[in-house]
Amino acid sequence: MTQYEFICNECFQHYEPDSKTLRCRTCRGTLSIKYKNMEDKSASLPCGPELTMPMPLPSISHYISLGEGKTPTVRMQKISDQLGIEIFAKLEFMNPTGSFKDRGTAMMISAIKLMGISEIVEDSSGNAGASLAAYASRAGIKAHIFAPSSTPSPKLNQIKIYDSILHTVDGTRDETTRAAEEFVKENSLVYASHNLSPYFVEGTKTFGYEMFNDLEPFPDNIVVPVGNGSLFLGIWKSITEQKNRGVIKNIPKLHCIQALNVNPIASQTPWDKSRISTTVAGGIAVGSPPRKLEVLKVIKDSGGYSDSVTEESIMKWQIKLAKHEGVFCELTSAAAFAGLENLVRKKEIGKGERVLVPVTGSGLKEAFPTN
Ligand SMILES: Cc1ncc(COP(=O)(O)O)c(C=O)c1O
Ligand SMILES: [Zn+2]
């Protein structure tokens, strides 16, 4: 008997956890983890001096870690002054493979290892693939990583150095997902999709738990770049868990930022496949995010806003952050700051409010023209 079960986010059907169940067998809805006993201390992860986080592993000894998390939170003084708000950045590129994905991967690979699985398939825009490759090699699991051939070469090289098998796909991010799904079927392998696996979001919750230790008072707003929404949803789950335990009362607004070229969530319309589906923000170039309805619900429940940003504004903010704050991030991460500027201009975020922005990935992984 596990201390948790899978629950469908749409029809609320329950399932006994296993590695092959990634969607509801009745309605195809996405799945989340529901704990039977939230206070079971043996199955919890320490997240700071007093906080522990429920996790879907029998004990800490099953947790496969590379020291992810515990990333610094820094004040962004100059851009705070420019926008008239108080901005804090949590530097997620300081995770072991250079992005926030390590939080989700650590939990997902731990669960997969515990199930005795020795070979997995994943698709990614680069960061999740690199992260999965690293944790899989640590766990002794063979990994096939599918990534678009347009992925920046530093990310592709990173995937390869960890000794996983890289499959590049000449197509969009969504076509890469379809190629991985085909490969899973043809070879009867386990699909360790970070976008569908309920374990991945359980891992990204650590971001939210750390936030309780890092920031006092708590931020009024959190602005997140969203492709599939794994960080966005993990932050929200950590907030609801803390609220249900009575630890916090004020709920921050969660704002979702997407690129104007690929904005199935922010545009709130069914995704038209004939639309442009490339953006410099490759990490959020997801035309059909399976957890779209979950993200929309969180925006509504938290009182947040979703917005889209132009290619020019993403590039402008990448340089601005490096020039003014000494923070060199990925274009995907810069999109959140471009979105923040929009939200201030539209008065969705008021003067003097406190804002936390995850800097989700490292500029060092970007393939830059050298001029
Ligand atoms: C640097 C970076 N930021 C943000 C995201 C978006 O994460 P998610 O798809 O879980 O919303 C990604 C995803 O690849 C990423 O690589
Ligand atoms: Zn269902």
Side-chain angles (χ1 to χ4, degrees), residues 21-326:
T21 308
L22 292 177
R23 284 190 183 267
C24 173
R25 289 195 271 277
T26 308
C27 77
R28 305 280 303 144
T30 52
L31 302 174
S32 292
I33 280 167
K34 186 171 189 300
Y35 294 96
K36 293 174 187 165
N37 175 8
M38 286 284 289
E39 300 309 325
D40 178 359
K41 292 282 177 232
S42 63
S44 64
L45 190 69
C47 288
E50 280 163 28
L51 284 177
T52 58
M53 178 188 99
M55 67 169 176
L57 300 173
S59 78
I60 187 82
S61 65
H62 295 93
Y63 186 61
I64 296 169
S65 175
L66 277 165
E68 59 293 322
K70 302 166 272 301
T71 53
T73 300
V74 295
R75 208 187 130 89
M76 308 289 257
Q77 190 62 56
K78 292 206 191 87
I79 60 168
S80 291
D81 294 346
Q82 285 165 17
L83 296 180
I85 52 177
E86 263 195 273
I87 306 170
F88 298 87
K90 192 157 164 65
L91 306 184
E92 289 297 287
F93 57 78
M94 294 185 70
N95 274 298
T97 75
S99 82
F100 80 92
K101 304 276 183 181
D102 293 338
R103 297 176 182 275
T105 310
M107 196 64 79
M108 184 172 77
I109 287 288
S110 302
I112 286 172
K113 180 76 180 170
L114 194 63
M115 291 172 186
I117 292 154
S118 58
E119 189 169 355
I120 54 176
V121 181
E122 157 77 309
D123 57 285
S124 158
S125 65
N127 278 328
S131 177
L132 189 108
Y135 284 79
S137 82
R138 193 164 174 83
I141 293 172
K142 183 172 171 185
H144 297 266
I145 314 286
F146 283 69
S149 49
S150 57
T151 303
S153 55
K155 289 182 183 168
L156 296 179
N157 291 338
Q158 195 186 7
I159 291 169
K160 285 192 281 192
I161 195 94
Y162 296 121
D163 207 26
S164 59
I165 301 153
L166 173 65
H167 305 249
T168 50
V169 176
D170 291 330
T172 62
R173 177 69 188 83
D174 295 302
E175 284 160 351
T176 306
T177 300
R178 286 195 284 280
E181 285 169 346
E182 279 297 306
F183 186 80
V184 167
K185 267 197 217 130
E186 279 162 19
N187 297 282
S188 307
L189 291 172
V190 167
Y191 185 28
S193 164
H194 68 283
N195 298 324
L196 290 173
S197 167
Y199 297 104
F200 199 87
V201 171
E202 288 305 302
T204 61
K205 281 190 323 192
T206 57
F207 179 100
Y209 274 82
E210 288 168 24
M211 203 166 74
F212 299 107
N213 295 309
D214 294 349
L215 277 176
E216 176 58 40
F218 212 54
D220 309 297
N221 304 273
I222 306 174
V223 181
V224 186
V226 172
N228 280 289
S230 68
L231 181 59
F232 191 82
L233 294 170
I235 295 174
W236 181 247
K237 198 164 183 197
S238 73
I239 290 170
T240 49
E241 284 175 359
Q242 291 301 299
K243 184 162 179 277
N244 293 343
R245 284 168 160 180
V247 178
I248 51 164
K249 290 191 181 59
N250 297 335
I251 299 289
K253 292 179 182 164
L254 256 70
H255 305 285
C256 152
I257 306 301
Q258 299 206 292
L260 193 56
N261 284 356
V262 190
N263 61 353
I265 298 172
S267 66
Q268 307 232 2
T269 52
W271 184 242
D272 171 2
K273 289 204 175 71
S274 66
R275 276 193 55 183
I276 307 170
S277 63
T278 56
T279 161
V280 291
I284 51 175
V286 184
S288 310
R291 296 189 184 274
K292 175 176 169 174
L293 293 179
E294 289 175 66
V295 173
L296 285 171
K297 185 168 184 321
V298 171
I299 296 168
K300 186 163 172 274
D301 290 354
S302 74
Y305 196 82
S306 63
D307 208 358
S308 309
V309 293
T310 63
E311 299 292 286
E312 294 70 32
S313 67
I314 295 170
M315 292 186 276
K316 178 188 91 178
W317 271 96
Q318 187 194 43
I319 293 174
K320 214 168 147 71
L321 290 167
K323 214 167 155 176
H324 296 302
E325 302 287 356

